[in-house]
Amino acid sequence: MDNTARMKELVQLLNTASRAYYQEDREIMSNLEYDRLYDELLSLEKETGTVLSNSPTVQVGYEVMEELPKETHESPMLSLDKTKDVEVLRQFIGTHKCLLSWKMDGLTVVLTYRDGHLEKAVTRGNGLIGEVVTNNARVFENIPLQIPYKGELVLRGEAIIRYSDFERINEEIGDADARYKNPRNLCSGSVRQLNNEVTAARHVHLVAFSLVSAPGMDFSNSRIRQMEWLKEQGFEVVEYLVVTGETLDAAMKYFSERINQNDFPSDGLVALYDDIVYGESLGRTAKFPRNAFAFKWADEQKETTLKEMEWSPSRTGLINPVAVFEPVELEGTTVSRASVHNISIMRSLELGIGDRILVYKANMIIPQIAENLTRSGVRDLPDHCPACNGAARIQEQNGVETLYCVNPECPAKFMKSFTLFVSRDALNIDGMSEATLEKFVGHGYIREFADIFRLDRYKDEIVSMDGFGEKSYQNLMDSIQKARNTTLPRLLYGLGILNVGVANAKMLCREFAFDLDRIRSASVEELSRIDGIGEVIAGSIVSYFTDEKKAARLDRLLKFLVIEKPQIQTEERILEGMTFVITGSVEHFKNRNELKEKIEELGGKATGSVTGKTSYLINNDTASNSAKNRKARELGIPVISEMEFLSMIRKAK
């Protein structure tokens, strides 16, 4: 292949990888592989004197998505030239005084303040055009919305999500497709939300690293003074040390020792000349400013042996290759697995079982394969899905080969239904997290709901899994055993029937005297007559129970369950025909859900909105001027406190 053809191939590969990483929050090659291909392209461009118009060496950042308004930056936001060699960094610094700071791994944002108030926030975008995220920036955890300086201030900072928040948030995300591989991806998705309530819940922090302009201020030609002034304005600024070439080693030692203790993501360091005039006099290249230089940590690598390739199916049908190798210590933890992402990467590494490989942690977090030392070659690619045993086929898109399960009934494609089934309001199986479910489904241990109750068939395999052991296994089995005794509303909700939520499930059970057979055989007409059901929900229920495959799976599941049937006493349905709305805090119940359950237990209904059909609004602050209180007064609906509600039901009994 000649140089030009190779350059075109590299440009396509790198742009595809960059688009996947920045726009789609997915990874199709490791950071190390990207850097290697990028350096190869850069070398070829220097050798040939040719730079292709769409080369990533002259393009910066991700392309702007359509969902957010766009805005052109007043001055281009360039990336930094970088090295992994301390001596190259020392050469850049020379005798000049520099600020050496963390290179934050998040999403760069430009903030503009006018008259002391935050006016605008724009993402870096492609370096020339960014996305306007002002509403989201207003809910960043630590951003000052008002500052003492009344002129027009423009600064740049990195929006980040801390590791501690990342781990907590990822655990709370029920949908596996919505989970993020690293804090950078989570931050990118959070900052670019259309709904800033989501951004606020993610605890995004903004760390300022550069002052662009502040007319009227004298900083004595010093970047250090700029950083001190930003602190005085209320901004959190990036940690930095003042260095020269002579003091660089001590500073590097400090940062290298701190990296593993940090609660924020960083993929290196940045050196910036303190002398503003000197730095700006150096100008810039097409891609890089010349007043700053980035240093990327040389990743710790360990040699090990590839034991097997494990194939992990997902709900999209994609079957991801995972390398399982002899455990090694990396960055202070033991690792034995690394995602290889797709078959194209496997082929480029020529991965074969028994090969000697070098592994590392990308950004000190995600295990990756750096190199295959023996390259025995890819062989024995699976032709079936491990979750369902159905056919698996290789598909190619944009030059990337991936393995897909083509079975539309593959259980891996229904992870959401399994997650719902074990959730708190359904069977409530403690310890059955979505990550655990993914493992069990991926290994083919769970293909339908009933399989959850016969997981003991795989005890040896489960005990030997990462994150498991005898104790974890036994705790899970105890939870499953406890979940066998359940109620009909929990079961109906857990089946995941379209449009049937917790409240509808309870309503159905009451209407049919907690008789599952009657519910299964009910017609659309019968169901539609129930207040609050309607034809759409009725159609969903009938469609579910008349589906032969679903019916057969339910029959198999029922063999493992003991469904408790409540004693129905009609004299206790004292709230029959009444509709309640609950607002504000509660004092005599644990939470509003418990109060809602009490209302339903006594035959009433609890809804979320005040309408003409509402019987009572329950609000302990009966005199408040809240929207619901005002609406109730307009409609002549009584507003009662909890105590009045409790008195009402005591008298009725």
Side-chain angles (χ1 to χ4, degrees), residues 386-550:
C388 67
N389 213 33
R393 294 184 190 142
I394 295 174
Q395 298 182 8
E396 182 177 330
Q397 187 174 10
N398 296 324
V400 177
E401 286 186 306
T402 49
L403 188 67
Y404 273 87
C405 172
V406 297
N407 173 18
E409 293 294 316
C410 177
K413 297 180 181 178
F414 299 97
M415 272 302 304
K416 190 174 288 186
S417 66
F418 289 118
T419 305
L420 175 68
F421 184 76
V422 304
S423 67
R424 184 184 60 186
D425 291 327
L427 272 288
N428 193 22
I429 302 179
D430 190 33
M432 186 73 85
S433 67
E434 186 157 357
T436 298
L437 275 170
E438 285 173 348
K439 289 179 183 178
F440 292 167
V441 171
H443 283 80
Y445 304 160
I446 296 176
R447 297 186 180 181
E448 57 179 87
F449 295 144
D451 290 335
I452 292 172
F453 297 95
R454 43 191 179 213
L455 279 169
D456 53 356
R457 297 179 296 176
Y458 303 102
K459 177 182 178 180
D460 293 343
E461 292 89 337
I462 293 172
V463 168
S464 64
M465 277 183 174
D466 282 350
F468 269 90
E470 288 283 352
K471 186 175 180 181
S472 298
Y473 168 82
Q474 193 54 54
N475 288 341
L476 181 58
M477 291 301 111
D478 291 344
S479 295
I480 291 172
Q481 182 63 33
K482 183 179 177 183
R484 290 174 188 264
N485 293 287
T486 191
T487 64
L488 190 55
R490 285 182 174 276
L491 173 61
L492 278 185
Y493 172 65
L495 292 177
I497 302 169
L498 189 63
N499 301 314
V500 176
V502 175
N504 285 337
K506 290 176 180 177
M507 189 187 306
L508 275 170
C509 293
R510 287 197 301 268
E511 291 293 333
F512 288 93
F514 292 83
D515 188 330
L516 178 57
D517 290 335
R518 284 181 59 194
I519 297 172
R520 292 180 73 170
S521 60
S523 66
V524 171
E525 291 74 19
E526 286 179 274
L527 292 163
S528 298
R529 286 197 293 269
I530 301 171
D531 185 31
I533 294 295
E535 287 189 12
V536 173
I537 299 176
S540 296
I541 296 165
V542 171
S543 174
Y544 186 93
F545 288 121
T546 54
D547 183 303
E548 291 184 5
K549 289 182 179 177
K550 289 188 173 84

Side-chain angles (χ1 to χ4, degrees), residues 158-205:
E158 196 80 352
I160 59 166
I161 287 179
R162 294 172 176 170
Y163 288 128
S164 51
D165 287 321
F166 168 70
E167 290 162 5
R168 178 184 55 76
I169 292 166
N170 243 359
E171 280 299 314
E172 292 172 358
I173 296 174
D175 186 344
D177 285 347
R179 284 187 180 165
Y180 291 80
K181 292 182 178 178
N182 53 57
R184 192 216 67 85
N185 283 9
L186 176 57
C187 187
S188 175
S190 301
V191 172
R192 297 156 69 203
Q193 287 284 330
L194 296 178
N195 180 356
N196 69 356
E197 281 189 68
V198 178
T199 309
R202 302 281 176 82
H203 301 288
V204 178
H205 285 71

Side-chain angles (χ1 to χ4, degrees), residues 97 217-226 274-277:
K97 183 162 65 173
M217 293 302 302
D218 179 10
F219 297 109
S220 304
N221 192 36
S222 169
R223 295 286 183 190
I224 296 171
R225 178 67 194 115
Q226 285 184 340
D274 176 55
D275 187 322
I276 299 172
V277 173

